[in-house]
C-alpha cells in the first residue's frame, strides 16, 4: 500500500468530506481515506497495482475540490449602480426609505450565472431526471 496527500482548498465543510470520501472509495484500489475539512486535506491509502496517485488526484480535480475557493469581495468604495461601467463589480447597495424615517436596507445585487452563489463542489444544481415506469 502507498499513501498520497492532496490539498483541497474547496473542501470546507462536513458535507464535502462525505462527498470526497464517496468519490475516492468508489475507485478501485483505494483502501482508506482520511479527509479533513478543517485542514482542507485528504490522505489516501491505495494499492499502486490497481490505481495511481495521478488518477486519484485527477478524480478529485474533476469534482472541483482542488481549485481555490472564490468569494466575491466588496470594493470598499461607494458605488452607484451602473455608474462605473464595471458590470461584474460586486458592491453593496444602501437605501433609506422616506416612509420609515429610520429604515436602512442593505442588499447585494447578484446575477445567477449557472453556478451557486457560494461554490460548493460535489453539490451542483439539481437536475430533473425522468424516471422510466
Amino acid at each position: 500500500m502507498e499513501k498520497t496527500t492532496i490539498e483541497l482548498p474547496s473542501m470546507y465543510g462536513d458535507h464535502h468530506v462525505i462527498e470526497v470520501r464517496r468519490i475516492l472509495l468508489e475507485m478501485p484500489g483505494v483502501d482508506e481515506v482520511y479527509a479533513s475539512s478543517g485542514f482542507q486535506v485528504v490522505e489516501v491509502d491505495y494499492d499502486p497495482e490497481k490505481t495511481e496517485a495521478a488518477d486519484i488526484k485527477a478524480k478529485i480535480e474533476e469534482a472541483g475540490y482542488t481549485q481555490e475557493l472564490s468569494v466575491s469581495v466588496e470594493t470598499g468604495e461607494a458605488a452607484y449602480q451602473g455608474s462605473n461601467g464595471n458590470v461584474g463589480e460586486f458592491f453593496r447597495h444602501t437605501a433609506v426609505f422616506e416612509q420609515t424615517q429610520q429604515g436602512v436596507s442593505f442588499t447585494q445585487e447578484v446575477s445567477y450565472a449557472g453556478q451557486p452563489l457560494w461554490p460548493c463542489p460535489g453539490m451542483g444544481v439539481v437536475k430533473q431526471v425522468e424516471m422510466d415506469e
Side-chain angles (χ1 to χ4, degrees), residues 19-31 33 59:
E19 182 67 8
V20 166
R21 287 181 49 80
R22 183 193 64 77
I23 291 168
L24 294 176
L25 288 171
E26 286 179 352
M27 294 183 68
V30 173
D31 184 50
V33 175
K59 189 73 169 179

Side-chain angles (χ1 to χ4, degrees), residues 12-90:
Y12 56 87
D14 290 342
H15 59 290
H16 294 288
V17 170
I18 293 167
E19 182 67 8
V20 166
R21 287 181 49 80
R22 183 193 64 77
I23 291 168
L24 294 176
L25 288 171
E26 286 179 352
M27 294 183 68
V30 173
D31 184 50
E32 187 66 39
V33 175
Y34 171 76
S36 169
S37 60
F39 295 109
Q40 295 178 318
V41 69
V42 65
E43 187 177 271
V44 183
D45 292 338
Y46 66 97
D47 183 352
E49 293 179 9
K50 295 182 180 177
T51 192
E52 297 179 13
D55 294 336
I56 294 169
K57 186 169 183 175
K59 189 73 169 179
I60 214 70
E61 279 178 356
E62 182 182 315
Y65 285 102
T66 57
Q67 301 167 1
E68 287 293 325
L69 182 63
S70 63
V71 178
S72 300
V73 178
E74 293 185 17
T75 62
E77 299 175 10
Y80 297 96
Q81 188 171 6
S83 67
N84 56 12
N86 294 335
V87 178
E89 191 171 313
F90 181 78

